């Protein structure tokens, strides 16, 4: 259900909205507050596994956060997505990071996990929007295909499956495989 408003919301109006009922999280898309899909079991387990693996790697390098809104621009309009996970390096951390609110700069990495009802095509379009908004990398995790697809601003996406090592010069020392993530999440 879209939070109905008569006029498109500005970024500040969106950020000032009261919290949704229950566990509803909203994203600002084209001036409308759109509810984010509620995670299911596999989604939650993958989020936890990825957080664990990335937190181990990023200690002292930056911050990794689940479900943190980011104030970005999409097609010339304010956009506030709430990715499943984001990583922001110390170099990109804003001076006001300690304030409680949406992240005010594009992170280095956004991870989106495909939920039931979402398609890989929808996540590909969202990945392009993230890259256009200056996010440096986007990972799309597909529990059905047991894959992680990495989107780059200047190269074709790469899909990693099984024991194929996922490394990136942007994240020196971070090495993992899709299989490692799915095993850590205990997903059959």
């Amino acid at each position: 259900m879209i939070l109905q408003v008569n006029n498109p919301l500005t970024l500040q109006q969106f950020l000032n909205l009261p919290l949704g009922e229950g566990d509803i999280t909203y994203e600002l898309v084209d001036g409308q507050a759109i509810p984010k899909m509620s995670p299911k079991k596999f989604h939650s387990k993958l989020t936890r596994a990825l957080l664990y693996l990335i937190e181990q790697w990023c200690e002292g390098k930056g911050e990794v956060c689940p479900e943190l809104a980011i104030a970005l621009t999409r097609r010339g309009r304010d956009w506030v997505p709430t990715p499943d996970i984001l990583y922001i390096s110390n170099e990109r951390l804003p001076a006001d990071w300690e304030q409680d609110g949406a992240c005010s700069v594009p992170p280095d990495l956004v991870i989106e996990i495909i939920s039931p009802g979402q398609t890989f095509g929808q996540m590909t379009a969202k990945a392009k929007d993230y890259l256009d908004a200056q996010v440096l990398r986007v990972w799309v995790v597909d529990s059905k295909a047991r894959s992680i697809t990495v989107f780059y601003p200047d190269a074709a996406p790469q899909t990693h499956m099984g024991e194929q090592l996922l490394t990136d010069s942007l994240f020196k020392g971070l090495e993992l495989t899709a299989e490692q993530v799915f095993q850590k999440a205990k997903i059959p």
Side-chain angles (χ1 to χ4, degrees), residues 75-172:
R75 300 180 200 137
R77 297 183 76 173
D78 289 329
W79 178 43
V80 184
T82 304
D84 296 313
I85 300 173
L86 67 77
Y87 163 73
I88 186 164
S89 64
N90 288 334
E91 293 78 26
R92 286 191 137 192
L93 280 173
D96 64 351
W97 180 256
E98 295 305 318
Q99 292 182 3
D100 192 24
C103 183
S104 60
V105 298
D108 300 68
L109 173 66
V110 161
I111 301 174
E112 290 284 4
I113 300 166
I114 298 174
S115 296
Q118 293 176 319
T119 67
F120 184 78
Q122 290 170 321
M123 289 296 104
T124 297
K126 193 170 188 179
K128 182 182 180 331
D129 289 337
Y130 279 125
L131 294 172
D132 289 346
Q134 307 307 307
V135 172
L136 300 178
R137 296 291 185 278
V138 180
W139 294 2
V140 173
V141 180
D142 185 338
S143 63
K144 289 183 180 174
R146 295 180 69 88
S147 67
I148 301 172
T149 301
V150 181
F151 293 83
Y152 305 89
D154 54 358
Q158 293 182 344
T159 299
H160 299 265
M161 299 176 83
E163 296 296 335
Q164 181 185 7
L165 196 59
L166 192 162
T167 61
D168 191 317
S169 62
L170 187 62
F171 312 118
K172 290 181 182 8

Side-chain angles (χ1 to χ4, degrees), residues 9 13 26-27 41 44 54-55 66 76 78 81 87 102 111 118 133 147:
L9 291 169
Q13 288 170 327
Y26 288 94
E27 296 182 317
K41 183 178 178 182
S44 293
I54 294 171
E55 274 185 331
D78 289 329
Y87 163 73
I111 301 174
Q118 293 176 319
S147 67

